[in-house]
Amino acid sequence: EKLHSLFLTHVFHGVPQATLEQVLGEGGATSRLDNTECVALIESPPHGILHLLDHQCRAPQGSDLGFCVAANKCHADHRFFLSPKLSRSCDVESKSGFIVRHFAGDVLYRAGAFLE
């Protein structure tokens, strides 16, 4: 996400706002080219996803499931975070995984081997 943010900044630096809106649609330049909220979700202290993982790694009874539960609890209302729901197409529930809405698309992260 950070590399992608750097790429977007570099490529579109100096392009007039009117041109971006013409190509991406009204308001699209801001919403589609700015992934700072997603970067913050992943790395901002004290509740960013990486900080929650670090906490579980340091906890005496830390676990992969504990990490996923903490992530779902902290970020349930975040627009770049989704809690998976069991369905025919998804065999993961919120206590054993989570979804991050990256720029390139939604990615499902499953509990298991996070703490290794």
Side-chain angles (χ1 to χ4, degrees):
E1 286 298 321
K2 286 189 95 165
L3 180 60
H4 187 73
S5 179
L6 178 66
F7 172 78
L8 291 175
T9 302
H10 180 72
V11 169
F12 293 106
H13 179 72
V15 176
Q17 185 72 20
T19 303
L20 290 174
E21 287 183 0
Q22 183 180 16
V23 172
L24 299 172
E26 188 72 30
T30 303
S31 64
R32 293 177 63 188
L33 299 178
D34 184 12
N35 68 343
T36 55
E37 277 188 73
C38 188
V39 171
L41 167 70
I42 295 167
E43 68 178 20
S44 290
H47 299 293
I49 292 172
L50 293 178
H51 290 275
L52 295 174
L53 178 58
D54 186 54
H55 175 75
Q56 283 295 316
C57 288
R58 294 172 190 259
Q61 300 296 319
S63 68
D64 294 319
L65 290 177
F67 166 59
C68 290
V69 168
N72 278 290
K73 183 178 177 184
C74 288
H75 301 294
D77 297 330
H78 198 284
R79 73 182 191 121
F80 285 95
F81 188 93
L82 297 171
S83 294
K85 307 277 189 269
L86 285 174
S87 67
R88 288 183 180 176
S89 61
C90 182
D91 63 346
V92 177
E93 57 185 333
S94 63
K95 70 179 181 183
S96 60
F98 57 89
I99 300 168
V100 175
R101 305 190 82 186
H102 295 281
F103 180 85
D106 296 353
V107 176
L108 171 65
Y109 295 92
R110 298 170 184 256
F114 271 115
L115 273 61
E116 289 183 5

